[in-house]
Amino acid sequence: MNASTQSERQALACTVVELDVNNHAGVMSHVVGLFSRRAYNVEGIVVLPQGDGATSRIWLQVNEDARLEQMIKQVEKLEDVLAVRRHGNQHPVFERLEEFTRA
Amino acid sequence: MTTQPKTITLTGAQLAVRLLERQGVRIVSGIPGGAILPFYDALSQSQAIRHVLARHEQGAGFIAQGMTRATGVPAVCLASSGPGATNLLTAIADAKLDSIPIVAITGQVPQSMIGTDAFQEVDTYGLTIPITKHNFMVSSAHELLEVIPRAFRLALSGRPGPVLVDIPKDVQVQSIELPADESAWPAPGVADPLPEVPAEPLAIAAEMINGAQRPLLYLGGGVVHSGASLLATALAEKASLPTVMTLMALGAMPVDHPLSLSMLGMHAARCTNLALEECDLLIAVGARFDDRATGKLSQFCPQAKIIHVDIDPSELDKLKAAHVGLHGDVGQVLKGLLPLVKPVIREEWLGRVAQLKRDFPLVMPKVEDSRSHYGLVKAVADALDDSAAIATDVGQHQMWVAQAYPLRRPRQWLTSGGLGTMGFGVPAALGAALAEPERTVVCFTGDGSLLMNIQEFATLAEEEANVKVVLMNNASLGLVYQQQTLFYGERTFASKYKGIPDFMALAKAFGLDAVDLDEAADDAGARAMLGEALNRRGPCLIHVSIDVAEKVFPMVPPGAANKEMIG
Ligand SMILES: Cc1ncc(C[n+]2csc(CCOP(=O)(O)OP(=O)(O)O)c2C)c(N)n1
Ligand SMILES: [Mg+2]
């Protein structure tokens, strides 16, 4: 794991999903629970509050697999999820973050 | 002098009760405990809401489900924190899998103690995330004003489902000032407007139906939830569509309608699964391609194109890719389709289906004997009319009823489909009887299932509910015994009871009437006893011994294709 760099991992067809959510104590559980209960690993996750803090933005880095379409539909159904956007495998949030995780 | 805006002071608990009243809730079921006592104290002052004291919180959850399944109106169950909440979980999960809009309200330890392993503290919010449609942890009395109406709105909107509201004790006792004029409060929660039906796929779907040679209509529970039974039947009649139903949809079209092929899947009549093999177009309406219905999915309807209609967009293409996916309310879509489909009489296809029905009907051994498995189901139906509601527990008895009972109206049928929860029957039947006291409610149960919520006999007796519990007693976990017999080399294990309670005495001890059809001299005597018990008002146990060797047939072995039926 520590031998593989961010870009190497992205070669395994990662995708970044960006969510706008209501910012409260339970929302992260709701989102990641959808993945964990399907044994679908979330490789990377970043959350930051937006504006006055009523909403947050979550970036999820996940492996592209056959279940992703269904996952996104499930995420879209969550009451606290306001918007879902899909990016390709490259996203600056994770690229810049990588320097913090370099040993 | 300006008049001051009038305000009233309410506690969170009083506000919550008031909001339930405004929501139209008239019966709630639950069990009190420390963390929900302020709410119960407020509830005791309500003139509008009657509380039904369950004997186990799972019972309360299924009572709420029974009320909701019978009427479509969201019902409420209550539990205290900790064990009260954990006892509710099974009933909530059951509601999730069958899309039943109940609202569960639980007490929680005061916010200052959350996270301290306080007495009877459990993470109810965390535990219920995966089994609710949505859940709330309320952090101030003011929030209730929004949360309670929203809970009902969410339960009812789109694909229905259970919603849980966890209210810490300090929130229940917190006093707040509110406008005395309640019209200034958020309005009670109602279902969101239905989504627009997209015109283009609708036209394509209609064209596919018009062009098909061997189309089949596949109805699921969504048809019942949407109140679209008549529309579904109208579409079937106009376009000559033989119709199969899932366990959840039984009665959406009368199962003895000429176009009905009744239940599909694991315990379908052979003709039903064989018709699915031959169809060239499958019109799935409010159904989710559940494995019990489809068998091995890759071999389900091998020749068919698929039109899939569902209110939940995540159901479209979830398991089976549809040629046309229609996201929308089933009723709206059917309404849109009706004028677009051509009236046809598909002589050849209907002739073929009629032939299949003649050649491969459901075989019901011993059906003339009112004390046999199928015979009992038919005898009960013979003694009642279509106004009766029919609940079941889970097991062989459930499948025999699903196969044999002439279900003819939506919401007549209350059964635990997705979760298959033993113990569902008695409290769900009680809920149905509370919601619609004019009906006779029958609960077909097994000796295994009955013991899982037998304590609700006390509630049945207390409420004098018109529930007839028909116990098919094979002294076994019959469906398990059947599977072990068929698929585990007859190594029956842990499926036969050695100790068998005296169910007649048990019923009487709880204050129920009880009749034992085993004691009737002959079939005519048994039928007379049965008819009298069913038609005498009040709760009653009707006991019948059933041979454990009887099987639910045909049966598609788990994992096999639907055409591989045995028995
Ligand atoms: C709560 C629960 N536990 C276990 C099961 C597995 N199970 C399915 S059917 C069945 C046997 C049911 O026995 P009974 O109620 O007597 O019905 P029968 O099959 O004998 O008619 C069991 C154990 C279940 N469905 N639900
Ligand atoms: Mg049994």
Side-chain angles (χ1 to χ4, degrees), chain A residues 19 26-42 45 58 60 71 74-75 78, chain B residues 126 128-131:
Chain A
L19 319 176
V27 70
M28 289 289 287
S29 272
H30 274 270
V31 172
V32 299
L34 283 182
F35 288 84
S36 62
R37 88 179 80 119
R38 290 171 174 84
Y40 196 139
N41 194 36
V42 176
I45 184 163
I58 302 178
L60 300 171
M71 282 313 311
Q74 293 293 343
V75 172
L78 290 177
Chain B
T128 52
I129 285 176
I131 57 168

Side-chain angles (χ1 to χ4, degrees), chain B residues 367-534:
Chain B
V367 68
E368 52 312 309
D369 174 3
S370 66
R371 289 176 291 182
S372 74
H373 48 317
Y374 288 114
L376 177 62
V377 176
K378 290 289 192 195
V380 169
D382 287 345
L384 296 168
D385 60 29
D386 294 344
S387 70
I390 309 300
T392 73
D393 259 304
V394 170
Q396 287 184 310
H397 63 276
Q398 175 191 31
M399 290 299 124
W400 288 322
V401 181
Q403 291 176 324
Y405 200 96
L407 297 162
R408 296 200 183 99
R409 62 175 177 87
R411 303 202 176 281
Q412 182 179 16
W413 172 237
L414 293 79
T415 202
S416 169
L419 198 65
T421 313
M422 293 169 67
F424 170 92
V426 168
L430 170 54
L434 291 169
E436 300 187 319
E438 68 288 356
R439 292 193 195 279
T440 300
V441 183
V442 178
C443 168
F444 286 95
T445 187
D447 50 302
S449 296
L450 180 57
L451 288 177
M452 291 217 183
N453 272 321
I454 187 93
Q455 77 287 343
E456 299 311 327
F457 269 11
T459 323
L460 265 186
E462 191 169 275
E463 295 294 325
E464 296 174 25
N466 197 24
V467 172
K468 312 296 174 182
V469 180
V470 178
L471 170 56
M472 301 174 93
N473 183 3
N474 52 14
S476 299
L477 300 166
L479 200 57
V480 173
Y481 187 91
Q482 166 167 345
Q483 297 224 31
Q484 291 172 334
T485 306
L486 296 177
F487 308 121
Y488 291 85
E490 299 188 19
R491 289 181 301 281
T492 55
F493 173 70
S495 53
K496 267 196 82 58
Y497 292 116
K498 290 184 209 93
I500 300 154
D502 179 345
F503 284 106
M504 295 291 295
L506 202 48
K508 287 177 193 154
F510 276 110
L512 267 64
D513 213 354
V515 300
D516 190 352
L517 299 196
D518 291 354
E519 283 175 3
D522 53 17
D523 184 64
R527 283 177 196 272
M529 256 170 113
L530 177 65
E532 200 197 308
L534 288 172

Side-chain angles (χ1 to χ4, degrees), chain B residues 91-114:
Chain B
I92 296 173
D94 189 279
K96 178 79 182 331
L97 278 169
D98 285 348
S99 304
I100 307 300
I102 57 168
V103 174
I105 296 179
T106 47
Q108 183 54 277
V109 301
Q111 291 180 92
S112 59
M113 295 171 79
I114 286 179

Side-chain angles (χ1 to χ4, degrees), chain A residues 16-24 27-28 31-32 44-61 75 80-87 91-94 97:
Chain A
V16 173
V17 184
E18 183 181 329
L19 319 176
D20 293 333
V21 300
N22 290 323
N23 181 14
H24 67 81
V27 70
M28 289 289 287
V31 172
V32 299
I45 184 163
V46 175
V47 194
L48 285 171
Q50 301 289 294
D52 63 356
T55 64
S56 307
R57 185 159 299 171
I58 302 178
W59 290 266
L60 300 171
Q61 189 182 47
V75 172
D80 284 318
V81 171
L82 310 170
V84 179
R85 290 174 292 276
R86 267 178 84 167
H87 302 283
H91 195 283
V93 163
F94 292 103
L97 207 60

